[in-house]
């Protein structure tokens, strides 16, 4: 397969240190301001790379146990690939994971017999992925790259997946999905979980008592956090359900299913605004299940 392998050291390519991102008491970057304003492709990628490099230790300390070292969790609702089988039989298949983070999904896929490449924007996340690959004995090739510009050969993969990976942080979702379609073989499968678009107009709170519309569902203006100098340090982009469908179709893929996972019975884990009480009322995740025509 014409794809890059991990460096001999097992470490991801070096990235710039997250200079100028002071951390809050919880270990996450502390923004100086929050705005709703445009944020372009290069600006979003640069900001989110630095943010995730700085946030990786706190994020994994908070969520690492839930994510697992070798597991495939699609969403905070608790849907797992072992139960959902959205990717089909991956044994012997070539799989690209986009936005792999510390790569528990990629290691799960390798254990299931897949040949996997795990891609993420953040060197901080990939460093932890390399550590866990060595610790579990399930190392996978790691690639630091932007989801919107995949440095990979065309038609190289049977499956592309993304479990809350880079797509919500990419300014040009249409372009990113064109890239996904390019690297997929005819007949290949693409499955991605993203923030449910219905989250956008609601408060970022796990308490169902806070469920009220506070902004327009149709306002696509990005959510941007800024530093003391006014520069973007984090950017998240909103698309409606229709936007996602049009992006998939525009990339030449076929939508086979749209899943809105319900909260897993007995699951008590809260994850930001996701909670059992809120999850019983409104969806928090949208899963795009797609295929590339033969």
């Amino acid at each position: 397969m014409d794809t890059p392998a991990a460096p001999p050291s097992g470490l991801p390519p070096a990235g710039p240190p997250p200079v100028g991102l002071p951390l809050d008491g919880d270990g996450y970057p502390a923004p100086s301001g929050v705005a709703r304003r445009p944020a372009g492709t290069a600006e979003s990628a640069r900001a989110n790379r630095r943010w995730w490099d700085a946030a990786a230790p706190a994020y994994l300390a908070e969520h690492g146990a839930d994510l697992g070292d070798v597991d495939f969790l699609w969403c905070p609702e608790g849907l797992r690939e072992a139960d959902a089988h959205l990717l089909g039989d991956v044994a012997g298949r070539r799989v690209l994971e986009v936005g792999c983070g510390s790569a528990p999904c990629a290691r799960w896929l390798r254990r299931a017999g897949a040949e996997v490449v795990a891609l993420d924007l953040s060197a901080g996340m990939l460093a932890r992925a390399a550590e866990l690959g060595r610790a579990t004995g399930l190392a996978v090739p790691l690639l630091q790259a932007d989801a919107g510009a995949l440095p990979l050969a065309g038609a190289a993969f049977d499956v592309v997946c993304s479990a809350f990976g880079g797509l919500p942080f990419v300014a040009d979702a249409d372009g990113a999905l064109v890239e996904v379609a390019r690297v997929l073989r005819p007949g290949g499968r693409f499955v991605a979980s993203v923030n449910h678009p219905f989250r956008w107009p609601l408060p970022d709170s796990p308490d169902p008592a806070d469920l009220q519309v506070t902004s327009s569902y149709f306002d696509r203006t990005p959510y941007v956090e800024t530093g003391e100098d006014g520069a973007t340090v984090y950017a998240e982009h909103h698309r409606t359900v229709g936007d996602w469908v049009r992006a998939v179709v525009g990339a030449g893929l076929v939508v086979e299913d749209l899943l809105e996972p319900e909260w897993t019975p007995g699951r008590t884990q809260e994850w930001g605004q996701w909670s059992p009480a809120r999850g019983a009322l409104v969806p928090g995740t949208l899963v795009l299940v797609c295929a590339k025509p033969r």
Side-chain angles (χ1 to χ4, degrees), residues 3-156:
T3 54
S9 65
L11 294 175
V19 177
L21 293 184
L23 302 181
D24 226 334
D26 59 3
Y28 287 93
S32 296
V34 173
R36 294 284 300 277
R37 63 168 175 77
T41 297
E43 178 185 6
S44 295
R46 181 172 57 249
N48 287 324
R49 175 177 174 172
R50 294 178 64 214
W51 193 93
W52 282 105
D53 281 350
Y59 179 85
L60 294 173
E62 182 179 5
H63 299 298
D66 196 33
L67 291 168
D69 293 342
V70 185
D71 201 358
F72 199 128
L73 180 69
W74 278 111
C75 55
E77 288 84 356
L79 182 68
R80 283 178 156 79
E81 177 59 17
D83 302 313
H85 307 293
L86 300 180
L87 301 179
D89 183 2
V90 298
R93 310 284 277 176
R94 293 176 173 176
V95 182
L96 171 66
E97 183 185 6
V98 175
C100 67
S102 60
C105 299
R107 288 187 293 275
W108 184 92
L109 289 163
R110 182 183 169 187
R111 189 175 63 184
E115 182 181 345
V116 189
V117 172
L119 176 150
D120 201 275
L121 185 67
S122 165
M125 281 292 188
L126 290 175
R128 181 57 177 156
E131 292 172 4
L132 288 171
R134 292 189 290 268
T136 61
L138 291 167
V140 299
L142 303 174
L143 175 62
Q144 185 177 10
D146 184 357
L150 302 176
L152 297 161

